[in-house]
Amino acid sequence: MKGAKGKGAAKRDSLKPVDDKKVGKRKAPAKAVSKSKAKAGKAVKDPNKPKRPPSAFFVFLEEFRKTFKKENPTIKAVSAVGKAGGEKWKSLSAAEKAPYEAKAAKRKTDYEKLMNAYNKNRRAWLTMMKNPKNLSLK
């Protein structure tokens, strides 16, 4: 007899262990990155640039965080505070959200004033650096 009878026997014979090296995802060859491109990837942040203002939700979260920690001193996870704050924010009506939106709008106008001043100073500095003849080094 050549083998067992039936269709199942033929399937068992055809199944063989697979070479693990051939199976799997193909990976692209690693590219050689030059030193100049590696350094030029991300621009350096200016420490004098004003921070962006928080949205109404984050203004709400500043206050909510304080009350949540008083009510739940044992919970230390940041994610728990965020989840509870998100649920509370969703349950607030538009009238309850209004004071937070007003605070956020005020912070945004303050930020825009700061950015205008920052951009004026930055433009003046950049034009001064482009024309080194204007610099007086005494």
Side-chain angles (χ1 to χ4, degrees):
M1 239 195 243
K2 289 185 179 179
K5 293 182 182 177
K7 295 179 183 177
K11 286 183 182 178
R12 275 192 301 259
D13 293 339
S14 65
L15 294 176
K16 297 178 183 174
V18 180
D19 188 13
D20 288 340
K21 293 179 184 176
K22 292 180 182 177
V23 176
K25 296 182 179 179
R26 293 185 184 185
K27 294 183 180 178
K31 295 180 181 178
V33 178
S34 65
K35 291 182 182 179
S36 62
K37 284 188 178 181
K39 290 182 181 178
K42 210 171 193 183
V44 179
K45 289 186 178 180
D46 185 1
N48 299 326
K49 186 175 182 181
K51 286 182 74 174
R52 291 182 66 194
S55 65
F57 171 70
F58 282 102
V59 173
F60 161 77
L61 207 57
E62 289 173 2
E63 293 179 15
F64 178 80
R65 202 174 281 120
K66 294 173 189 171
T67 58
F68 185 82
K69 286 190 178 186
K70 286 180 185 174
E71 294 170 2
N72 306 303
T74 57
I75 298 176
K76 302 284 185 190
V78 176
S79 60
V81 178
K83 285 180 183 179
E87 290 171 5
K88 176 80 173 170
W89 178 254
K90 286 178 185 177
S91 68
L92 293 177
S93 66
E96 293 171 322
K97 290 181 183 180
Y100 302 110
E101 291 170 350
K103 287 179 186 177
K106 184 183 182 321
R107 288 189 184 183
K108 187 175 181 180
T109 57
D110 293 343
Y111 167 76
E112 288 170 352
K113 289 176 188 175
L114 289 171
M115 276 304 291
N116 287 336
Y118 169 79
N119 287 332
K120 284 180 186 176
N121 290 340
R122 187 161 183 252
R123 278 190 221 111
W125 183 81
L126 288 173
T127 55
M128 185 173 58
M129 293 307 288
K130 285 182 181 178
N131 299 325
K133 293 177 186 176
N134 296 343
L135 292 174
S136 61
L137 300 172
K138 292 182 182 178

